[in-house]
Amino acid sequence: TQLLEQSPQFLSIQEGENLTVYCNSSSVFSSLQWYRQEPGEGPVLLVTVVTGGEVKKLKRLTFQFGDARKDSSLHITAAQPGDTGLYLCAGPPSNDYKLSFGAGTTVTVRA
Amino acid sequence: DTAVSQTPKYLVTQMGNDKSIKCEQNLGHDTMYWYKQDSKKFLKIMFSYNNKELIINETVPNRFSPKSPDKAHLNLHINSLELGDSAVYFCASSQSKPRTSGRWTGELFFGEGSRLTVL
């Protein structure tokens, strides 16, 4: 059983469209991180959210941490082909210190 | 200059063989990890070392043995390889070690991965 559930599993959109990826859990997390992994590479950290309700922006990417610290979302505005990749959420549950990863959302942005 | 480097990047071997994957980080981090990514892209932690001390040892067959000669290196040796060991193995490092108190927000720096195929 995975602690973090991501949805959708796959997402294919046209360049210029918006998309949202979700990361949900029944557990409370101390913090949540979002990573992007490109084919043949290791995951690279995009952002860490720590406070319930926190919103962070990274250019066209907006990350939100749920008020109860059980969920997070990643919204991409005007997606570009360079946004293509596997998006992974990860975090340490508040009663543990080991980083758990979600199964990821594969995003494909078509030119 | 690669921050976290793993070798080899690809490894194809027969069932029953023994193989090793090496990892080195030049970031000066204290903590290193091995993760396994299966065919469904799910990343699962296997081991973690902090300053050469084993701090995380998940439920992994004892055919897998990590070794950290110093804090910049973490190797993974696998004995008697099985078909189910086929996966991509990622080494990672972080500046601080995971902690049970407070909020740990350590960033993980991953290597490029080592794809192991067992025939």
Side-chain angles (χ1 to χ4, degrees):
Chain A
T1 306
Q2 295 176 28
L3 279 177
L4 289 165
E5 298 286 341
Q6 288 190 241
S7 61
Q9 189 177 358
F10 299 97
L11 194 54
S12 180
I13 61 169
Q14 201 69 32
E15 182 176 3
E17 293 180 340
N18 302 332
L19 68 97
T20 303
V21 174
Y22 300 93
C23 176
N24 296 290
S25 178
S26 57
S27 300
V28 175
F29 279 76
S30 304
S31 61
L32 268 179
Q33 299 177 348
W34 284 93
Y35 289 81
R36 180 168 66 209
Q37 183 180 8
E38 298 185 16
E41 304 287 332
V44 175
L45 181 71
L46 296 174
V47 79
T48 300
V49 285
V50 178
T51 308
E54 182 177 2
V55 176
K56 278 192 175 178
K57 291 194 174 184
L58 185 66
K59 295 182 181 178
R60 294 175 294 100
L61 278 61
T62 301
F63 304 85
Q64 187 162 6
F65 200 11
D67 291 339
R69 305 204 322 267
K70 291 184 177 182
D71 57 270
S72 182
S73 64
L74 157 60
H75 182 80
I76 302 179
T77 304
Q80 298 176 3
D83 296 324
T84 293
L86 176 68
Y87 288 82
L88 297 157
C89 65
S94 57
N95 61 349
D96 197 355
Y97 58 87
K98 288 173 276 190
L99 206 64
S100 293
F101 278 83
T105 296
T106 299
V107 171
T108 303
V109 183
R110 305 183 305 273
Chain B
D1 198 16
T2 306
V4 180
S5 59
Q6 303 178 220
T7 55
K9 186 159 182 166
Y10 299 97
L11 193 51
V12 180
T13 189
Q14 299 287 330
M15 260 193 332
N17 284 349
D18 304 338
K19 290 293 178 187
S20 292
I21 306 171
K22 295 186 176 182
C23 179
E24 176 182 5
Q25 54 97 1
N26 62 8
L27 298 167
H29 288 170
D30 288 339
T31 309
M32 296 184 72
Y33 310 79
W34 278 111
Y35 278 84
K36 179 181 181 181
Q37 188 171 48
D38 61 24
S39 57
K40 295 185 179 179
K41 305 296 185 185
F42 182 57
L43 266 170
K44 187 172 169 58
I45 190 166
M46 301 173 68
F47 303 102
S48 178
Y49 272 76
N50 178 257
N51 278 321
K52 301 194 296 176
E53 179 189 354
L54 182 66
I55 59 171
I56 296 175
N57 186 357
E58 289 296 275
T59 307
V60 175
N62 57 15
R63 297 181 294 104
F64 290 78
S65 53
K67 193 167 185 178
S68 182
D70 56 63
K71 74 174 192 176
H73 295 84
L74 179 61
N75 303 323
L76 182 65
H77 187 75
I78 315 170
N79 288 326
S80 303
L81 279 157
E82 300 178 357
L83 293 176
D85 297 332
S86 295
V88 182
Y89 292 84
F90 283 99
C91 176
S93 71
S94 64
Q95 189 169 24
S96 60
K97 73 173 182 178
R99 56 179 188 264
T100 54
S101 60
R103 290 180 182 179
W104 179 65
T105 61
E107 173 181 359
L108 293 186
F109 290 79
F110 284 86
E112 291 187 331
S114 296
R115 181 176 291 277
L116 171 65
T117 302
V118 182
L119 304 174

